[in-house]
Each structure stands twice: as C-alpha cells, then as structure tokens.
Amino acid sequence: MSEKLHEQISALVDNEVTDPELLIRQICKDTDLQERWRRHHVVHDVLNNQLSTTPVDLSQRISQAIDSEPVHHSNVSLTRVSQPSRARYIMKQVSGLAIAATVSAIAVISVQQTSISSSGSSQEVAGLNGNTTVAQAQVRFVNEPQKLDNKVQSKLSNYLVNHNEYSITSNMQGVLPYTRVVTTTDQRVVVRSINEK
Amino acid sequence: MRNNPVSIRFTSVFVTFIVCFPGVLLASEHLKDVQLWLEKMHRATHTLNYMGTFVYGQGAELSSVQLIHRTSKIGEQQRMVAMDGTGREVIRDGNKVMCIMPDSQAVVVSKVRPDKQFPPVFPITISNLTPYYQFSISGSSRVAGRKVQIISIVPKDDYRYGHRLWIDDKTGLLLKTHLLNSENKPVEQFMFTRIEYLDSIADQYLVPQNDGKDYTWYESKDGKKADKSKQVGMNVAWLPPGFKHDMKTLQKLPNTAMPVEQMVFSDGLASVSVFIEEELQHDPSNLVGSSKMGGVNVHGRSLGDYHVTVMGEVPHQSVQKISLSVAYTQADD
C-alpha cells in the first residue's frame, strides 16, 4: 500500500478529497484499504472527541447501524444510477462500512470500558457498571492490538503454568492448559492503560 | 357427593409427587452419569500412556501439536511440541515444567506444586455446580477413529464459559473439546487427529528437540519460598456469582524480580488467578491492558507500588472486572 494512498484515505476521512469515487471503489475492493480506512476513522473520531466515554450498548449500536443501512441486492446495477447519486450511493456504502467498522473497532476497545486519546491528554473514564465500581482508569489508547513484548509473553507463560497448577478446569483437561503455552506465539495486547487508580 | 378437601389436597400432592419424582430421579441419575464420565476423563488424562497429534484452534488460528504423555514413579511426564510456528516445547517432568520458547529465545523452568499428590484427586462435584451450569450427555460420535461420548456443560450466565467434551468411550481420554462463549461459539478448540495408547513409552520420546543452549534461562531454585510476612494486603472486591477463594500462595517465580502472590478463585469448575507483584519501578515485562492465551483471558494493571495480573478460563469481562476490583486492605511493611 503506497504512502500516497494512505494520505488519500486520511484526506477522505476528513472530507478533503474532491473526487472520492475512484478511491472509494478501491477501498470497496481491498480489505487492507478497508482496515486502513477503519483505523483512520477511529483516530479521526478520537481527535474530534466523538468516541463515547460512557459504557456502550454495542448490540443497540450495531442494530442501529444495520437499521440505517439500505437493503443491498447483489443484482442492483450501478449504471442505472445517475452520476451524483451514484457517488452518494457508493459513499453511503462506504459510510455504512465505516459505521460497522467503527462499531467493531469500538467493540474491541470499548469492551475494555475505556476511552481513547491520541495525544497523551488522556480522558478519565468510568469504571465498570455493577455493584462494585472500584477503579477508575485514565487510559491511553492504542488504536489497534499490538504484539506483546517477548518479556511480557515469557512472564505470562510463567504465570499461566502456575495458574494451571491450581486451575480446576486445567486439572480436569490435563493436556489443554499447556497447549496454550506451546501455541501462543502471537499474543496481543488489546489496550494499554496507564495511571489506573 | 362433595369431595373431602383433605383428600383432594392429598391426591394433588400424590399426583405431583408421581409426576415429578421420576424427573427428579432422572435428573439426579443424569448428573451422576456426567460425574462418572468426568471422573473417568480426569483419571485417563493423568494416568494413561499415550502419544498423538492434535490440532488446536483459537479464533481463526490453527496449530498442530505433538503430544507424548506417560506416568512413572515420579508422576506425570509429558512432552508437547508445536509442529508449526517457532516450535515451542513444553516438557513436564513430575513437578517441574520447562517451557522452551524459540520466539522469545527463552527457557522458563518452573517448580510447581510439590504438595500435589499423584494421581490427582478429581476436584469437581457436579451437584454443587448446578446453580451455575447445566450438564448433559449429548450423545455419541467419533473422533480420531474412536467412539466418543459427548458431554455438554452450559453456563447459566455470561461470566463463565461453556464446555463441550468428546470423551473416548473406552479409555476416557478427552479427544476433543470446545470452550464456548455466551453465543455458543467456540473461543478455543482442540481435537486429536491421531491417538495411540501404549503400555510403555521410551525415555527418548520425552527429550526436548531444542536444548535451548543459547537462550536465556529463567529457573526457580529450590528453597526460594518467599517470606510470608511480606504478603501483600490486597482484597478482591468483586467476583462472579459462585466464585470463592480457593488458595493463596507467595513465591519467587523464575522470571520475576520480586516475590509474587497468587490468589486463586473458583466456582468449582472455572478458575481465576490473581497475581500481585511489587513494582517499585516500571517493569516492562508486566502486562498493562488486556490479552488472551486461547481460552485464558488476562488483564494487568498497576496499583500503587504493585502490579496486578488476573488470568482465568473465563470471558474477558469477568477477568477485567475482577482486576479492576482489586484494592489495598493494608500496606506492605
């Protein structure tokens, strides 16, 4: 993926592309570009404080995103649509994709009950709902899962070995617990949080 | 003729009894059967000699693993080698577990549970778990060319995972398993594709293929029990319903600078460990945030001069909620 294309996607997120149609077509065809588009959108939303800081009812948001989508049939021909509305149509498709992708990004991040800030000026977020709201966290984001450092992996494997020894499920299943150590070569950290208090 | 009210009441109680009693008996018998199958599985897992290959899946990733397991005077011996990736190996020899990790260029040797008896006692009483799980025998099938019985364990809330177990009808060994989320979808699965039961297994099969000579070794030495007076005053304020405190230990682990306190909580089936380690300065080896290792979810965070890491075979939200509920009860001297 070229640097120029990255810039174009970034510009598209900011509505700064004068003729977006070709780019939108490219995004629709390429999953890497879709992923790039999703990430740019998350960052864009973050920078504009558009991410919710309250716990998110994901099912409701996903339902809303789906409800707001027109029903697309595979046999709908784009040639029957006039040029301006065709662009709008494609834009709507991409927007739908963006909504769904943003929701899925939020699904990854908001499950952590966190909010995100990109510039180090972290936002305070509420702890968990429920009887015990013990911790409030100030959270700095990573906008995508990051691979765990080898040292962290080693320590977690070590913890896991000790956990297995006392875990009832592990005791029952015998083989499976150590399989997690053997096969976990690509652990990722989902959210890095700092200054939890 | 008017019916006697006492007689009517007696008749209705009698009818209710007649209708319900077989159901209660059936349910009770049914639970007994599940209990027997799980006991058989547990015994087979720890006491049989077997070699095989299985596939292991988490999310969209699949791995293939070779396994050799035997029992001897010193207890269980086991060697597990990943057939793909970087070829991690785990060797278990009695109460010593060695993890060889080429990707981290590290070998971690842990001495575990010297108090653990062999063969281990089956730790589950099904009848105590019915408030949180439903158990059923879901028929029979075939795995790795062998007839299996299928046991289903379905949680009654979203704080724990479900299980589907395919148990070798003859030997009792677990040949296939699914760890299921609240949508009944597998978050982790493993299945033998080849299994061989043997009378004996030669030593050579249990020797690691990678000696880890050039790697960094982290090893827990004998007698490195931590000073119990240094136990940290931490309290876990929230646990999923039915979870109770099982045990607490303080020990020096191979690749930790400071002694680590481990608290284990369980509902009788799923377990969660809370590790607390002193962290006076930032330690880059500590997890900050969330991660997962197959069906085991992990959450770590700093708490004052300590680092808290929570892991268990429960959904992410349970692990995170437990982690965030950890708080001081008293300061360490």
Side-chain angles (χ1 to χ4, degrees), chain A residues 158 169 171 187 193 196, chain B residues 46 255 269 286 288 293 301:
Chain A
N158 189 11
T169 318
N171 197 315
Q187 291 166 333
S193 56
E196 287 181 329
Chain B
H46 294 285
N255 51 355
L269 181 62
N286 283 330
V288 182
M293 293 176 278
R301 70 187 186 104

Side-chain angles (χ1 to χ4, degrees), chain B residues 97-109:
Chain B
V97 177
M98 178 164 66
C99 306
I100 304 166
M101 298 183 281
D103 46 311
S104 305
Q105 300 275 293
V107 178
V108 180
V109 184

Side-chain angles (χ1 to χ4, degrees), chain A residues 112 128 153 155 158-159 163 165-169 171 178 180-181 183-184 187-188 190-191 193 196, chain B residues 42 46 56 88 92 113 188 255 269 271 273 277 286 288-291 293 301 313 316 320-321:
Chain A
Q112 326 305 318
L128 293 160
Q153 286 202 39
K155 181 177 263 191
N158 189 11
Y159 278 175
H163 169 73
E165 288 306 308
Y166 296 97
S167 160
I168 292 174
T169 318
N171 197 315
Y178 292 108
R180 291 170 184 142
V181 179
T183 58
T184 304
Q187 291 166 333
R188 287 172 187 275
V190 178
V191 164
S193 56
E196 287 181 329
Chain B
H42 179 255
H46 294 285
Y56 170 78
R88 282 188 178 192
R92 176 164 194 145
R113 299 288 304 270
E188 182 182 58
N255 51 355
L269 181 62
S271 299
S273 285
E277 184 182 352
N286 283 330
V288 182
S290 301
S291 185
M293 293 176 278
R301 70 187 186 104
E313 305 93 346
H316 164 76
Q320 190 194 37
K321 203 166 172 179

